Amino acid sequence: MDWGLEAQDRLNEIAGCSLTGPGVTRFPFTPEHAAARKIIEGWMTRAGLEIRLDAAGTLIGRTGPADAPAFLIGSHQDSVRGGGQYDGIMGVALACLAIEALNTRGTPLPCAIEVLAFADEEGVRFPTALLGPRALAGTVDPEVFTLEDRDGISLGTALDAFGGAQGDVVGLARDPGSVLGYLEIHIEQGPALEQADQPLGVVTGICGIERNAVRFAGQTGHAGTVPMEGRRDALVAAADFVTAIHDTARNWPGLRATIGSISVFPDVVNAIPSEARLTLEIRHEDDRRRADFHAEAREIGAAIAQARNTGFGIEQTYAQPAVPCDPALVAALEQAAPGAPRLPSGATHDASAMADLCPVVMLFVRCRGGISHRPEEFASADDMGAAVDAAARFLAALPNRD
Ligand SMILES: [Zn+2]
């Protein structure tokens, strides 16, 4: 059996569970999700798993003694609008194939294993995400069930109609003693593995994220009558800030700094801008380095404000700490994927929420051009086959719990 080609076939098939239009559009608790669920149930059945849907809409396939602690392996079934056919669902497909491969070879599993197909990682339909892993970790805020999609359907209503039960979600929280760990296989969504000419990478941690509101305050005036000398132009200061942050961040290994939004007041063609508001997002695997860069950004902004004679402020509006992967699981995954380089994840994953419950690790699979969240997203059958082999070796080598 060529597990990579099998993965390609299965992903091609399930890509049809999508709204029409370019790429894959599969939101949680929709008819597309229901169609995908049927196909995933087929994969789980072929892997010899016992299937159930939990109250949060996570499809679970389990093998092993009913009350034994389980090792969990999973990812998400949903996509962004016009996304690709690998993000998320590939991790579910490869998890099933790894178990099927072990069964085919007659390799016994050392402990109970559960494959998890989470409903909603992307957070596109409802203004929330990660319901499935948060339910298992016991970190769901019950308020989320009142959040509505564009048609006014609440998350709770959609979940219940799908076969979940919003009232039972809080009860899904697992006893940490019953969970041995969590592995997620995912496309890299970046270019590092392609550049390193490696099919697989072992994730060392998921980057922390902070967002800041940045403001430069100057003085408006008539575009024609106020001379260039002495102007206090907030947008000019902001422009200096954008380039200075970008150029500084390039010298910080592993750091990502992005100014993705800017607005100007009064925002008219013939007035000097009196105010510029920017966002600054900073990501790093090490929270201390992220805090250091925040301090650096503050100094850069203050220096620019002084030079341009404007006011300056920076205020953190959101912070999500980094999630380190478990060192023992990282080492075990390296054993199972010899030669695979270590790398951080710049994006959030289901593993981010699972880390509140148990030790986590992720296996990244090379994707063409680092492209993701687009129809052109692509991972090769060879690379997926390598991931199935690595996952099978990893599972077979877990500590024996029988
Ligand atoms: Zn994903």
Side-chain angles (χ1 to χ4, degrees):
M1 179 69 129
D2 184 322
W3 301 108
L5 286 176
E6 180 66 19
Q8 199 75 271
D9 284 349
R10 292 187 184 187
L11 292 174
N12 285 340
E13 183 196 4
I14 204 165
C17 305
S18 166
L19 290 176
T20 49
V24 176
T25 302
R26 187 167 59 244
F27 297 153
F29 315 128
T30 57
E32 298 74 48
H33 181 186
R37 174 184 164 185
K38 281 218 164 53
I39 292 176
I40 299 168
E41 284 175 350
W43 301 346
M44 288 179 167
T45 300
R46 287 178 65 172
L49 304 176
E50 235 173 87
I51 301 164
R52 66 192 170 89
L53 186 80
D54 81 9
T58 302
L59 190 65
I60 301 176
R62 182 178 166 110
T63 177
D67 297 326
F71 191 90
L72 315 181
I73 170 171
S75 194
H76 58 99
Q77 68 78 35
D78 63 323
S79 76
V80 295
R81 187 179 295 280
Q85 48 173 282
Y86 299 85
D87 180 0
I89 191 64
M90 184 195 75
V92 178
L94 301 192
C96 293
L97 287 171
I99 295 170
E100 192 175 328
L102 289 171
N103 292 341
T104 305
R105 294 170 200 155
T107 308
L109 289 164
C111 59
I113 308 275
E114 290 186 15
V115 175
L116 310 173
F118 294 117
D120 68 333
E121 193 270 347
E122 301 288 3
V124 177
R125 180 176 178 190
F126 300 100
T128 181
L130 301 170
L131 177 67
R134 282 181 180 157
L136 300 180
T139 56
V140 171
D141 174 359
E143 286 291 304
V144 298
F145 297 114
T146 63
L147 297 172
E148 293 179 351
D149 68 7
R150 289 204 300 206
D151 301 322
I153 300 169
S154 74
L155 170 57
T157 303
L159 171 64
D160 290 349
F162 190 76
Q166 53 178 312
D168 297 337
V169 167
V170 170
L172 292 178
R174 301 270 182 111
D175 170 5
S178 72
V179 179
L180 301 171
Y182 174 76
L183 165 67
E184 180 160 355
I185 309 172
H186 204 282
I187 55 164
E188 182 203 342
Q189 302 181 280
L193 292 174
E194 195 172 66
Q195 283 165 10
D197 198 22
Q198 291 286 339
L200 305 176
V202 176
V203 177
T204 47
I206 299 168
C207 288
I209 305 172
E210 69 169 69
R211 299 188 174 132
N212 299 281
V214 176
R215 178 172 173 267
F216 288 93
Q219 194 166 42
T220 190
H222 192 289
T225 60
V226 179
M228 298 308 289
E229 305 87 72
R231 283 193 182 192
R232 300 174 57 215
D233 187 323
L235 182 56
V236 172
D240 286 351
F241 186 73
V242 171
T243 48
I245 289 294
H246 181 83
D247 293 344
T248 304
R250 289 179 58 155
N251 295 318
W252 284 55
L255 186 113
R256 307 276 187 270
T258 305
I259 292 166
S261 170
I262 182 166
S263 61
V264 170
F265 186 81
D267 197 20
V268 290
V269 68
N270 59 353
I272 300 163
S274 62
E275 183 174 279
R277 290 177 181 272
L278 305 81
T279 58
L280 168 60
E281 196 198 68
I282 310 171
R283 299 188 185 217
H284 200 285
E285 191 185 357
D286 181 341
D287 288 335
R288 287 165 309 182
R289 293 295 286 158
R290 175 165 59 78
D292 289 346
F293 189 84
H294 177 105
E296 177 93 15
R298 186 180 290 276
E299 280 179 24
I300 289 170
I304 289 168
Q306 194 168 36
R308 296 289 185 186
N309 197 18
T310 65
F312 165 73
I314 176 167
E315 189 190 339
Q316 194 178 82
T317 55
Y318 172 85
Q320 170 185 318
V323 175
C325 288
D326 180 67
L329 291 180
V330 167
L333 194 53
E334 281 180 323
Q335 290 279 316
R342 294 180 168 209
L343 75 173
S345 171
T348 301
H349 294 286
D350 292 296
S352 310
M354 289 299 286
D356 288 328
L357 171 66
C358 63
V360 303
V361 70
M362 292 189 73
L363 180 68
F364 271 175
V365 179
R366 168 170 56 189
C367 61
R368 190 162 63 198
I371 292 168
S372 181
H373 285 189
R374 278 163 45 191
E376 301 91 312
E377 192 178 85
F378 179 79
S380 74
D382 279 352
D383 290 358
M384 290 192 288
V388 170
D389 285 344
R393 274 194 294 271
F394 173 87
L395 294 176
L398 286 170
N400 198 310
R401 295 296 293 248
D402 283 349

